[in-house]
């Protein structure tokens, strides 16, 4: 039986999804955030999170930074449509990390991935995206280490929606008819904590889906109604983004991502996750209302 995990090294703790998970982990464990920018991390993370500077390109620095931690949580992302880059955090970075932890007493590794990198989902995916191709290669590097591990495979996060607000409009790109089991970062963080508290009960691949499947169009409408009814909903055609992407690498990736989003509806995979870690409790309406309340509190404080 594995000894209880006390100290978790988090890589990617300042990311959009990494920060809320690191914050929740710090309520239950000692957390050491391994970051490139300590100043940024200190602005974002709670005071009880230890911050250590290191980089995925520096094996010796990683080894030193991770000495003394019991487990790792990896919040890495691949944001490119290019398969020919020399370094990806989720592959070369992971390879460096696995070299760095040799000789250290790391008992368990948990990593966020995506539903498109969940092995049973691959049979239904017609054209997978570059991030999933890269991250699956990184997952194999972790699996080959022999260290107990869990790859979380989330669908779309509700937290994506406020990031799609531009000016007075909530924007989407391409198909809005596909149904998604939208999940909140709060439910996901709870499942990550459960996994670190009892890693032996968690499967190697852990699909992450929310309480119900609703279409993108329904999600946009429900979010606006509960967050800010004055927002307009705008849907841009995919071909426009592809045209812009011919001249702009960032927009090329956005078009690559939304083409995939619009072409793949979520089957339900998360039954075992719910059995082992509990059911999700946050609906899209609850998420939007809580976000509205926190915005009002922030405005009142100002």
């Amino acid at each position: 039986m594995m000894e209880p995990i006390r100290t978790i090294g988090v890589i990617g703790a300042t990311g959009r999804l990494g920060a809320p998970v690191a914050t929740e982990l710090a309520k239950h464990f000692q957390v050491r955030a391994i970051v490139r920018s300590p100043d940024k991390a200190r602005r974002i993370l709670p005071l009880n999170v230890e911050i250590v500077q290191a980089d995925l390109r520096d094996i010796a620095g990683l080894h030193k930074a991770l000495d003394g931690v019991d487990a790792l949580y990896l919040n890495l992302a691949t944001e490119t449509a290019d398969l020919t880059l020399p370094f990806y955090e989720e592959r070369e970075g992971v390879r460096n990390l696995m070299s760095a932890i040799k000789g250290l007493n790391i008992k368990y590794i948990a990593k966020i991935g995506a539903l498109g990198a969940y092995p049973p989902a691959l049979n239904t995916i017609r054209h997978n995206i570059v991030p999933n191709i890269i991250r699956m290669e990184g997952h194999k590097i972790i699996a080959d280490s022999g260290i107990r591990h869990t790859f979380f495979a989330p669908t779309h996060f509700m937290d994506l929606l406020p990031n799609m607000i531009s000016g007075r409009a909530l924007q989407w790109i391409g198909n809005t008819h596909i149904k998604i089991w939208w999940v909140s970062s709060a439910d996901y963080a709870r499942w990550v904590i459960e996994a670190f508290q009892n890693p032996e009960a968690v499967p190697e691949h852990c699909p992450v889906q929310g309480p119900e499947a609703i279409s993108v169009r329904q999600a946009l409408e429900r979010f606006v109604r509960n967050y800010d009814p004055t927002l307009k909903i705008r849907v841009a055609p995919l071909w426009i983004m592809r045209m812009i992407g011919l001249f702009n690498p960032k927009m090329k990736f956005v078009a690559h991502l939304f083409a995939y989003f619009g072409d793949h509806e979520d089957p339900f995979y998360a039954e075992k996750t719910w059995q082992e870690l509990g059911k999700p409790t946050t609906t899209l309406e609850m998420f939007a209302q809580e976000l509205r309340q926190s915005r009002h509190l922030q405005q009142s404080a100002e």
Side-chain angles (χ1 to χ4, degrees):
M1 188 169 174
M2 188 187 298
E3 292 178 15
I5 291 167
R6 291 185 172 82
T7 304
I8 299 171
V10 179
I11 297 178
T14 60
R16 193 168 62 241
L17 291 168
V21 173
T23 299
E24 288 302 309
L25 284 171
K27 296 175 183 177
H28 303 267
F29 304 91
Q30 294 174 351
V31 170
R32 183 184 300 171
I34 313 302
V35 300
R36 283 176 297 190
S37 172
D39 290 342
K40 178 184 177 184
R42 184 45 68 215
R43 289 195 301 271
I44 293 172
L45 298 172
L47 290 174
N48 64 333
V49 171
E50 181 187 3
I51 293 172
V52 177
Q53 187 171 22
D55 192 287
L56 283 171
R57 295 172 186 266
D58 177 7
I59 293 172
L62 283 172
H63 182 87
K64 184 178 179 182
L66 292 168
D67 191 9
V69 307
D70 303 315
L72 298 176
Y73 176 70
L74 310 182
N75 182 83
L76 305 176
T78 300
E79 297 187 347
T80 180
D82 189 345
L83 268 172
T84 64
L85 300 179
F87 186 93
Y88 300 86
E89 287 189 349
E90 288 197 90
R91 188 177 67 195
E92 284 72 21
V94 164
R95 185 177 291 121
N96 287 348
L97 179 63
M98 301 318 292
S99 297
I101 65 174
K102 285 177 182 173
L104 302 180
N105 189 28
I106 306 292
K107 307 181 185 81
Y108 178 61
I109 300 170
K111 179 185 177 297
I112 191 169
L115 207 56
Y118 176 54
L122 300 180
N123 295 328
T124 66
I125 295 174
R126 290 175 289 278
H127 306 289
N128 216 336
I129 47 173
V130 169
N132 286 337
I133 294 166
I134 297 298
R135 67 175 46 108
M136 284 188 289
E137 293 174 358
H139 290 179
K140 185 177 186 305
I141 294 167
I142 294 171
D144 287 348
S145 74
I147 298 171
R148 182 178 288 278
H149 55 274
T150 299
F151 303 126
F152 287 99
T155 184
H156 295 6
F157 280 96
M158 298 172 187
D159 308 64
L160 171 65
L161 294 173
N163 288 299
M164 299 299 290
I165 296 172
S166 179
R168 300 303 309 151
L170 177 61
Q171 304 192 3
W172 196 261
I173 301 160
N175 185 7
T176 61
H177 300 298
I178 56 161
K179 288 189 174 180
I180 303 296
W181 293 79
W182 301 82
V183 69
S184 75
S185 61
D187 280 324
Y188 172 65
R190 179 166 52 84
W191 286 327
V192 172
I193 289 161
E194 292 275 352
F196 278 103
Q197 289 174 334
N198 190 13
E200 289 169 304
V202 186
E204 178 184 24
H205 295 275
C206 201
V208 174
Q209 293 175 297
E212 63 174 330
I214 61 174
S215 72
V216 171
R217 170 59 69 173
Q218 287 173 306
L220 298 175
E221 291 171 352
R222 290 190 195 182
F223 179 81
V224 165
R225 187 162 60 246
N226 289 277
Y227 176 68
D228 183 351
T230 68
L231 289 174
K232 304 293 184 187
I233 294 174
R234 294 199 181 116
V235 180
L238 185 61
W239 67 265
I240 290 178
M241 301 308 295
R242 283 178 163 152
M243 287 289 289
I244 298 171
L246 293 174
F247 310 98
N248 183 318
K250 185 177 179 181
M251 287 301 105
K252 180 181 179 182
F253 172 67
V254 169
H256 183 62
L257 196 63
F258 278 86
Y260 169 81
F261 284 173
D263 201 30
H264 295 92
E265 190 160 272
D266 275 8
F268 180 65
Y269 294 113
E271 185 173 354
K272 193 168 182 183
T273 304
W274 292 9
Q275 288 171 355
E276 298 292 344
L277 303 177
K279 288 187 176 181
T281 58
T282 306
T283 64
L284 207 144
E285 287 85 351
M286 289 166 58
F287 170 79
Q289 288 163 11
E290 288 170 11
L291 198 66
R292 182 185 66 200
Q293 287 169 3
S294 67
R295 184 185 65 171
H296 286 165
L297 287 173
Q298 190 175 12
Q299 288 172 341
S300 299
E302 291 170 355

